[in-house]
């Protein structure tokens, strides 16, 4: 490098904040400095990357411009600050030792899908030929293997694998792509794959093993490449022959079978005890995906991103019928691990089911012993590698709506990446809701949202939650001073919060939804908040879920809501939405509802109908709910789409799945100034009697179900728009925030956003955290910070 003679030399101090540790950022800066002939230093501190750069004005300008433009694919830059510095007469550019500069902690990188360079190395480098765990600073495991900070090999589960001389040389070479790549390994020194067979029920004790000598119970000793080849060949053979494999992934086990083999998929459903919910499918490549679906450019970008999430596509055809069980869409994912790519080279199929390795609602299995014991009896082989998973992390799920990715489950590839919220949240622990659970820690001005935890009603999941809170607290040097939780007194997360002995801030469920979206968009002013979901405990101790708020981060007013529906049998309505359908008809038409000739009523016995009638007429075990989710359940039942649900939100999902695309006329509804409301804050009354009446008229005139569904969806979108317009005219508010599980409905979200924008509203919906209860913890955190 040289700084041109006669040019004016200056110095800058550059501070880069974001996800810039553990992603090859320092060697990247070093190589940039070489390219632009800049002298100085780069240092990795616990709160940022610090660069001292010396050069001409032109050199430094080009250097600064390149930093965000050409950054490593896994890096995320939140902020770059530049200030003049004292000239130090540097003669070279150096990477200097890391340091601690504050109480902040190093951000931990999420796990990253294998990069194209490593896939190429797998075919060219002798010591990594066919190595199924290849990685570099741009890819590979991160969060799943880290036990403590700093992020150095001794603090990861790679500590038991000493580097060979070749890997150590790459690790120490600043110009090498594996400079300071903590999981760096090869066929000579790295983890190896093994396979256990003969574990199915009735075959225990006749276990065959393909593995290395160092694996317990293994037969024979092979070098790394030969062993990988043997395991790959056997795994492919099992899948090609219609079998099921429990395959260890980055953050836990998956269950895998041929996605075009109906018998294999049905057997997997039985083994997993998952009768109805769709399975995700891993495709060989984009070309293979194009054979069953038509992803748009933004969806392809998500599928191919370093996070490598499952992407929900609206239409598909061609896989085994039991993969999606009659739903139009499909959850697609591309290979994320080297083993996946090598496996597809030997598979006859272009797609395999790739579903979480667990039973029912339990946490995903991460240890070999659990895999052999719990999954082994259900599958034809357990295929593993001997690098331990320390942090369990499920696959992430996203969908693309109006050109933007929308997270449905934020986990592998995203967690525990911080979410900057530009307000002090230090010491706040938010423990989330109960379903689709996550929790959140406040560090400085960062919200650190956990990976997907699951349903806390499951004992093993509750244990996972408590373990994860302890691990996050240790990893991020977190000391809680306040705990934020839901209002619901019976949520297990609420009970956990109240047992910590700390000041507790309770945040109403739907307010937390709205504030979560406000936090990710850095909103502090009052907004119109629309929170539509399945259920949430209201301030009046009733069930909410179809809410219009005027809200800021600290407070809210409930200014309108969907009309309440009785829920005969309480929680029974979740699995039996016909109950809600009958209750809705009874609300609108009285006892005549029980005499109606509707297809869904033919699936109900006279005894069941009589029991619900008694419950409704005598108001026994009939809590009222304003939930949008229950409204969709009711309409799904009435239209015959889903009278009995096998999984959460099946009715709304099937109702959306059959909706005709395009713009359709809404059903009529009532929207009036509130009169004699029980709640003095209520400004508008919403009535849906005309909606249900018109829908029944369409059914009686044999209108197409696709049109009926589309008209009902359009009605809800128009209801949101018209209510927002009435509130704007009264209150002068022009920002609308959309949050809650109903906005996972692609039809509703797409149409509502577009219609609101056409009316001149500024619309905010989730793009960083899930709109469902997986984002609740962020809202609790931000609300607690605003109140304190």
């Amino acid at each position: 490098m040289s700084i041109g003679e006669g040019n004016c030399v200056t110095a800058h101090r550059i501070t880069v904040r974001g996800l810039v540790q553990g992603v090859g950022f320092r060697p990247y800066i070093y190589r940039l400095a070489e390219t632009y002939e800049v002298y100085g230093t780069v240092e990795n501190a616990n709160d940022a990357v610090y660069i001292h750069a010396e050069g001409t004005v032109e050199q430094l300008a080009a250097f600064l411009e390149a930093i965000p433009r050409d950054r490593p694919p896994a890096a995320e830059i939140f902020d770059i600050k530049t200030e003049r510095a004292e000239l130090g007469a540097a003669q070279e550019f150096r990477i200097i030792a890391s340091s601690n500069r504050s109480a902040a902690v190093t951000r931990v990188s999420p796990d990253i899908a294998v990069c194209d360079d490593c896939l190429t190395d797998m075919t060219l480098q002798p010591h990594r030929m066919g190595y199924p765990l290849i990685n570099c600073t741009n890819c590979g495991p991160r969060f799943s293997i880290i036990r403590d900070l700093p992020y150095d090999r001794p603090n990861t589960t790679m500590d038991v694998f000493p580097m060979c001389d070749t890997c150590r040389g790459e690790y120490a070479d600043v110009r090498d792509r594996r400079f300071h790549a903590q999981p760096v390994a090869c066929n000579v020194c790295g983890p190896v794959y093994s396979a256990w067979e003969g574990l199915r029920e009735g075959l225990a004790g006749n276990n065959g093993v393909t593995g290395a000598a160092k694996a317990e119970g293994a037969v024979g000793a092979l070098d790394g490449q030969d062993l990988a080849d043997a395991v790959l060949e056997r795994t492919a053979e099992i899948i090609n022959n219609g079998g099921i494999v429990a395959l260890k992934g980055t953050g836990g086990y998956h269950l895998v079978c041929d996605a075009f083999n109906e018998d294999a998929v049905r057997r997997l459903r039985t083994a997993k005890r998952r009768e109805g919910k769709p399975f995700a499918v891993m495709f060989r490549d984009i070309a293979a995906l194009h054979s069953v679906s038509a992803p748009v450019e933004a969806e392809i970008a998500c599928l191919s991103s370093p996070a490598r999430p499952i992407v929900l596509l609206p239409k598909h055809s061609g896989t085994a019928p039991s993969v999606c069980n009659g739903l139009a869409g499909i959850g697609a994912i591309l290979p994320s691990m080297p083993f996946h790519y090598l496996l597809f080279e030997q598979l006859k199929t272009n797609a395999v089911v790739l579903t979480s390795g667990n039973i029912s609602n339990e946490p995903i299995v991460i240890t070999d012993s659990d895999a052999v014991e719990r999954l082994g009896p259900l599958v034809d082989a357990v295929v593993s590698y001997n690098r331990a998973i320390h942090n369990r992390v499920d696959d992430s799920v996203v969908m693309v709506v109006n050109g933007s990715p929308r997270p449905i489950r934020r986990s592998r590839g995203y967690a525990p990446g911080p979410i900057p919220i530009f307000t002090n949240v230090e010491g706040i622990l938010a423990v989330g809701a109960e379903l689709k659970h996550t929790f959140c820690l406040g560090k400085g001005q960062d919200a650190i949202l956990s990976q997907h935890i699951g349903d806390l009603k499951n004992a093993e999941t509750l244990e996972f939650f408590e373990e994860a809170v302890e691990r996050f607290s240790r990893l991020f040097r977190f000391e809680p001073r306040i705990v934020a939780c839901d209002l619901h007194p019976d949520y297990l997360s609420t009970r956990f919060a109240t047992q910590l002995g700390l000041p507790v801030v309770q945040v109403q469920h739907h307010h937390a939804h709205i504030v979560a979206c406000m936090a990710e968009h850095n909103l502090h002013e009052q907004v119109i908040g629309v929170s539509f979901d399945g259920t949430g405990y209201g301030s009046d101790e009733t069930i909410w879920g179809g809410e219009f708020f005027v809200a800021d981060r600290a407070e809210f007013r409930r200014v309108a809501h969907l009309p309440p529906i009785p829920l005969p049998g309480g929680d029974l309505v979740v699995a039996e939405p016909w109950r809600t359908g009958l209750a809705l008809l009874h609300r609108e038409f009285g006892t005549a509802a029980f005499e109606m000739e509707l297809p869904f009523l033919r699936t109900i016995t006279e005894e069941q109908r009589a029991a619900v009638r008694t419950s409704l007429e005598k108001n026994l075990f009939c809590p009222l709910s304003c939930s949008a989710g229950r409204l969709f359940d009711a309409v799904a039942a009435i239209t015959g789409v889903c009278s009995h649900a096998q999984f959460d939100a099946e009715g709304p999902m099937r109702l959306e799945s059959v909706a005709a695309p395009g713009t359709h006329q809404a059903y009529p509804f009532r929207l009036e100034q509130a009169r004699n409301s029980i709640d003095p804050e209520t400004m508008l009354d919403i009535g849906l009697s005309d909606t249900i009446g018109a829908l029944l008229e369409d059914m009686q005139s044999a209108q197409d179900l696709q049109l009926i569904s589309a008209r009902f969806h359009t009605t809800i979108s128009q209801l949101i728009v018209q209510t927002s317009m009435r509130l704007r005219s009264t209150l002068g508010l022009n920002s609308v925030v959309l949050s809650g599980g109903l906005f996972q409905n692609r039809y509703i979200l797409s149409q509502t956003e577009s219609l609101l924008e056409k009316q001149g509203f500024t619309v905010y919906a989730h793009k960083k955290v899930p709109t469902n209860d997986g984002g609740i913890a962020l809202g609790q955190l931000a609300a607690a910070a605003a109140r304190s």
Side-chain angles (χ1 to χ4, degrees):
M1 293 189 297
S2 63
I3 296 177
E5 292 183 9
N7 292 332
C8 179
V9 178
T10 186
H12 283 173
R13 175 179 172 79
I14 305 164
T15 304
V16 184
R17 300 184 191 277
L19 194 55
V20 288
Q21 288 96 354
V23 292
F25 200 78
R26 287 181 302 161
Y28 159 69
I29 294 296
Y30 180 93
R31 291 189 291 270
L32 273 188
E34 282 190 325
T35 299
Y36 294 102
E37 299 184 319
V38 169
Y39 295 161
T41 60
V42 58
E43 172 192 4
N44 194 15
N46 59 321
D47 58 344
V49 166
Y50 293 92
I51 304 166
H52 177 85
E54 299 184 6
T56 65
V57 173
E58 292 80 8
Q59 287 168 331
L60 292 181
F63 176 69
L64 276 166
E65 183 182 356
I67 290 175
R69 185 188 65 219
D70 302 326
R71 69 187 185 278
E76 186 176 358
I77 295 174
F78 299 157
D79 181 55
I80 300 178
K81 290 185 178 178
T82 304
E83 54 189 340
R84 294 293 294 269
E86 185 177 341
L87 200 61
Q91 297 300 308
E92 61 179 348
F93 197 89
R94 296 182 298 115
I95 295 177
I96 61 176
S98 301
S99 66
N100 287 327
R101 292 175 176 262
S102 70
V105 296
T106 300
R107 294 175 172 96
V108 175
S109 169
D111 301 289
I112 309 164
V114 63
C115 67
D116 290 342
D117 289 334
C118 279
L119 293 176
T120 300
D121 289 348
M122 199 163 55
T123 66
L124 297 177
Q125 293 185 342
H127 59 305
R128 293 197 179 88
M129 196 70 66
Y131 183 54
L133 291 162
I134 192 170
N135 63 84
C136 69
T137 52
N138 294 328
C139 71
R142 298 289 192 276
F143 172 59
S144 61
I145 64 171
I146 190 170
R147 289 192 295 249
D148 202 355
L149 292 174
Y151 177 57
D152 292 323
R153 196 176 182 103
N155 289 329
T156 73
T157 59
M158 284 295 295
D159 62 339
V160 297
F161 300 99
M163 284 181 273
C164 66
D165 291 343
T166 304
C167 286
R168 188 170 296 281
E170 295 167 334
Y171 181 88
D173 183 356
V174 70
R175 291 177 177 82
D176 195 283
R177 207 175 72 254
R178 294 183 173 86
F179 175 73
H180 283 197
Q182 304 306 331
V184 65
C186 70
N187 280 313
V188 176
C189 64
V192 295
Y193 270 82
S194 299
W196 287 262
E197 293 186 59
L199 303 173
R200 285 179 61 186
E201 291 174 337
L203 298 177
N206 185 28
N207 300 347
V209 180
T210 302
K214 59 178 130 178
E216 182 180 353
V219 177
L222 303 169
D223 66 31
Q225 185 179 349
D226 289 343
L227 175 59
D229 290 345
V231 173
L232 279 162
E233 182 179 345
R234 183 62 185 135
T235 304
E237 182 181 8
I238 291 170
I239 295 172
N240 285 335
N241 290 330
I244 302 171
V245 172
L247 176 62
K248 189 174 181 178
T250 299
Y253 273 83
H254 292 107
L255 298 176
V256 182
C257 72
D258 185 348
F260 296 100
N261 187 318
E262 176 67 5
D263 290 340
V265 177
R266 284 185 178 180
R267 186 181 140 214
L268 176 55
R269 285 206 174 277
T270 300
K272 192 174 164 67
R273 301 176 201 163
R274 182 167 165 170
E275 296 180 5
K277 195 172 183 181
F279 284 138
V281 175
M282 181 169 68
F283 292 86
R284 181 188 300 268
D285 50 29
I286 290 294
L289 175 57
H290 272 296
S291 69
V292 302
S293 188
V296 299
E297 184 177 345
E299 290 166 337
I300 292 172
C302 286
L303 285 160
S304 308
S305 70
R308 210 58 57 91
I310 296 168
V311 178
L312 302 182
L313 304 176
K315 299 293 181 183
H316 93 289
S317 62
T319 60
S322 292
V323 168
C324 295
N325 268 351
L327 288 167
I330 190 169
I333 187 171
L334 292 181
S336 62
M337 298 181 70
F339 189 92
H340 296 157
Y341 286 90
L342 294 168
L343 180 61
F344 270 118
E345 291 179 3
Q346 301 195 34
L347 288 176
K348 296 176 182 178
T349 182
N350 282 330
V352 295
V353 168
L354 190 82
T355 187
S356 299
N358 60 356
I359 306 300
S360 190
N361 291 317
E362 296 176 1
I364 187 171
V365 170
I366 62 172
T367 67
D368 292 349
S369 59
D370 274 354
V372 168
E373 178 183 349
R374 300 175 70 80
L375 304 180
L378 313 176
V379 301
D380 299 289
V382 174
V383 177
S384 180
Y385 54 84
N386 60 339
R387 182 187 70 215
I389 296 171
H390 185 68
N391 295 302
R392 176 185 282 110
V393 55
D394 253 304
D395 293 324
S396 293
V397 182
V398 304
M399 68 177 181
V400 172
V401 177
N402 292 338
S404 296
R406 317 297 177 117
I408 303 298
R409 183 167 71 197
R410 184 181 183 272
S411 206
R412 180 185 54 77
Y414 300 95
I419 300 164
I421 59 172
F422 309 105
T423 191
N424 182 29
V425 290
E426 182 67 42
I428 302 175
L429 168 63
V431 296
E434 187 152 272
L435 302 178
K436 300 178 179 64
H437 182 267
T438 63
F439 63 89
C440 194
L441 310 184
K443 287 295 295 184
Q445 295 191 351
D446 283 345
I448 302 174
L449 192 65
S450 76
Q451 73 271 46
H452 171 74
I453 302 295
D455 179 0
L456 294 190
K457 292 180 181 178
N458 176 276
E460 291 87 354
T461 306
L462 179 62
E463 182 180 345
F464 169 35
F465 159 57
E466 293 171 349
E467 173 192 80
V469 169
E470 188 275 327
R471 288 186 176 181
F472 266 61
S473 298
R474 184 175 68 251
L475 184 62
F476 294 104
R477 312 293 192 265
F478 175 75
E479 288 290 338
R481 59 180 179 85
I482 295 173
V483 58
C485 66
D486 197 272
L487 277 181
H488 201 306
D490 294 330
Y491 274 1
L492 295 175
S493 55
T494 302
R495 294 179 184 178
F496 175 84
T498 57
Q499 292 168 4
L500 292 178
L502 296 169
V504 175
V505 177
Q506 290 190 296
V507 184
Q508 197 279 325
H509 188 90
H510 302 97
H511 186 220
H513 270 307
I514 298 302
V515 179
C517 192
M518 294 178 71
E520 70 168 80
H521 290 285
N522 195 27
L523 300 176
H524 292 269
E525 69 274 15
Q526 271 198 342
V527 300
I528 297 168
V530 184
S531 184
F532 279 19
D533 69 355
T535 186
Y537 192 77
S539 303
D540 60 359
E541 300 184 357
T542 65
I543 303 170
W544 292 5
E547 309 306 312
F548 292 90
F549 290 168
V550 172
D552 57 23
R553 293 194 184 193
E555 299 176 335
F556 73 93
R557 291 169 53 205
R558 189 191 193 202
V559 293
H561 57 79
L562 294 179
I565 305 174
L567 303 181
D571 287 344
L572 290 177
V573 302
V574 176
E576 300 178 8
W578 64 266
R579 292 173 175 269
T580 315
L582 195 51
L584 177 60
L585 294 174
H586 179 263
R587 186 191 74 185
E588 302 301 341
F589 305 107
T591 57
F594 300 101
E595 310 304 325
M596 289 183 175
E597 292 294 327
L598 293 172
F600 89 101
L601 293 175
R602 299 179 196 134
T603 67
I604 305 165
T605 66
E606 287 296 330
E607 292 79 6
Q608 289 174 317
R609 198 181 307 193
V612 167
R613 180 170 187 164
T614 299
S615 180
L616 289 168
E617 291 180 348
K618 295 186 176 182
N619 194 25
L620 297 173
F621 310 111
C622 268
L624 293 175
S625 170
C626 298
S627 160
R630 298 293 80 83
L631 174 63
F632 271 71
D633 275 347
V635 173
I638 290 169
T639 55
V641 170
C642 180
S643 58
H644 294 78
Q646 295 177 305
F647 58 90
D648 180 47
E650 181 178 1
M653 287 174 64
R654 294 198 179 280
L655 193 63
E656 178 193 2
S657 183
V658 301
T663 303
H664 301 274
Q665 182 181 5
Y667 289 122
F669 57 87
R670 180 175 57 81
L671 184 62
E672 298 176 348
Q673 197 71 24
R675 297 181 180 87
N676 303 319
S677 174
I678 296 174
D679 185 348
E681 291 188 340
T682 300
M683 298 176 62
L684 296 171
D685 279 337
I686 297 169
L688 296 178
S689 298
D690 293 341
T691 305
I692 303 306
L695 184 147
L696 289 174
E697 287 178 6
D698 271 357
M699 291 180 63
Q700 290 162 1
S701 62
Q703 286 286 354
D704 188 82
L705 177 60
Q706 292 181 322
L707 176 62
I708 293 172
S709 175
R711 291 192 67 188
F712 176 71
H713 279 77
T714 300
T715 303
I716 300 303
S717 293
Q718 287 285 6
L719 173 63
I720 292 171
V721 174
Q722 294 299 319
T723 304
S724 299
M725 290 173 66
R726 292 283 292 270
L727 293 173
R728 177 172 62 182
S729 67
T730 303
L731 303 171
L733 300 175
N734 198 56
S735 294
V736 178
V737 171
L738 307 175
S739 188
L742 185 70
F743 293 106
Q744 295 172 121
N745 183 311
R746 189 190 309 268
Y747 200 114
I748 292 288
L749 178 58
S750 174
Q751 189 168 231
T752 304
E753 279 187 337
S754 298
L755 291 172
L756 284 168
E757 287 170 354
K758 284 181 181 178
Q759 295 298 328
F761 285 100
T762 304
V763 186
Y764 299 94
H766 290 277
K767 296 183 180 180
K768 293 181 181 178
V769 302
T771 192
N772 57 44
D773 284 6
I776 282 277
L778 176 63
Q780 292 173 346
L781 183 91
R787 294 180 192 178
S788 62

